[in-house]
Amino acid sequence: MHLRVKALESVLVEKGFVDPAALDAVIELYAEKVGPKNGAQVVARAWTDPAFRARLLEDATSAVAELGFTGSQGEHVVAVENTETLHNLVVCTLCSCYPWPLLGLPPVWYKSNAYRSRAVIDPRGVLKEFGVELGEQTEIRVWDSTAEVRYLVIPQRPAGTQALDEAQLATRVTRNGMIGTALL
Ligand SMILES: [Co+2]
């Protein structure tokens, strides 16, 4: 994969379609400046502000834009909420579509063939490997991302966090929690 990406990049550079410095800048931006802390801020806001939560579930793209999270790979965001009886899991079966402005760059396992195929066929088994054991009564919904639509899971707010403010709550939200491969 690494060699194929290198080969593709050199052809694109050679033909003048991309500037290597621009590619480096994009990667640095999403690896260093943007990351799951953005998504965590969105989740913490949803937990503490019912009106924001409602807007987020209604139209996540414009709700997250209120917090300044816009841009490439985040044009159409859909937020899906975990409850006592429903667990959401996000995958891109075709490639690695992911909400960059909210979560940064996708982890390696998210791009792997194994995760992409098995998340759909055996979500319960995949979740178990991530250490997530859900009761039989919990429905699991798998969301297949596309180039158009990216998903953000709103995890359940952990018990015993009533006293925490929004900023403190955000530190409890993990990247995997927002993909659906972890509980908080
Ligand atoms: Co994709």
Side-chain angles (χ1 to χ4, degrees):
M1 180 60 82
H2 184 70
L3 290 174
R4 285 163 69 186
V5 169
K6 273 270 164 234
L8 187 59
E9 186 181 331
S10 8
V11 172
L12 290 172
V13 169
E14 203 173 294
K15 293 198 178 287
F17 291 133
V18 299
D19 174 358
L23 285 179
D24 287 346
V26 167
I27 291 167
E28 194 192 312
L29 171 69
Y30 284 97
E32 307 296 332
K33 299 197 179 68
V34 177
K37 63 182 191 312
N38 289 2
Q41 224 176 300
V42 171
V43 170
R45 174 71 56 90
W47 285 342
T48 52
D49 179 344
F52 178 79
R53 172 185 166 273
R55 292 198 297 281
L56 184 65
L57 292 171
E58 175 71 30
D59 176 359
T61 313
S62 55
V64 302
E66 293 173 27
L67 303 183
F69 305 141
T70 57
S72 183
Q73 319 292 319
E75 291 87 351
H76 298 284
V77 180
V78 171
V80 290
E81 186 179 48
N82 288 347
T83 67
E84 283 300 321
T85 53
L86 174 67
H87 184 85
N88 296 284
L89 179 67
V90 178
V91 65
C92 176
T93 54
L94 206 61
C95 40
S96 57
C97 298
Y98 194 71
W100 289 15
L102 298 173
L103 300 184
L105 296 176
V108 171
W109 57 260
Y110 185 84
K111 299 186 267 188
S112 72
N113 275 324
Y115 179 75
R116 285 162 39 211
S117 54
R118 292 189 49 235
V120 182
I121 300 164
D122 179 22
R124 214 169 273 277
V126 167
L127 284 172
K128 205 172 257 183
E129 286 164 28
F130 276 95
V132 177
E133 299 224 28
L134 298 168
E136 283 303 317
Q137 75 287 352
T138 302
E139 181 196 340
I140 300 173
R141 232 172 255 172
V142 181
W143 300 89
D144 193 359
S145 314
T146 66
E148 274 81 42
V149 182
R150 318 296 168 98
Y151 297 92
L152 176 76
V153 174
I154 307 171
Q156 280 191 280
R157 181 172 173 163
T161 57
Q162 291 80 353
L164 302 188
D165 67 19
E166 199 180 309
Q168 290 168 321
L169 283 168
T171 66
R172 301 293 189 91
V173 184
T174 63
R175 177 195 67 196
N176 286 12
M178 293 181 281
I179 304 174
T181 52
L183 301 175
L184 305 185

